[in-house]
Amino acid sequence: MAADQKGKAKAEQAKGKAKETIGRAVGNERLEAEGRAEQSKGDARQAKEKTKDIFKH
C-alpha cells in the first residue's frame, strides 16, 4: 500500500511539473498555478508517507 501511495505522490508531482511548464510556455497563468498546486499536493502526500515509514521502523 505504501508503495502505491508513494507512486501516486511521484505521479502528482510529475503531472504538476508538466502543467506548470506548459502553462509557463504558453503564458497561461491558471494552468501554471494548477501545476504548482498539484506539485504541492504530491509533496504533501510524499511527506505523509515518509512520516509513516519513520514510525514503522
Side-chain angles (χ1 to χ4, degrees):
M1 181 76 170
D4 180 45
Q5 292 299 316
K6 288 178 186 176
K8 283 183 181 181
K10 289 288 185 188
E12 278 180 333
Q13 289 169 331
K15 187 176 171 188
K17 184 67 175 172
K19 272 187 177 181
E20 182 182 7
T21 302
I22 291 168
R24 188 175 295 134
V26 298
N28 186 332
E29 291 180 17
R30 181 176 175 211
L31 189 59
E32 200 174 331
E34 282 178 17
R36 281 193 300 271
E38 224 166 294
Q39 282 182 40
S40 295
K41 197 168 136 184
D43 290 343
R45 185 187 301 262
Q46 187 176 37
K48 180 183 88 173
E49 291 304 316
K50 283 184 180 180
T51 303
K52 284 173 34 181
D53 285 347
I54 290 170
F55 287 108
K56 266 188 198 176
H57 300 287

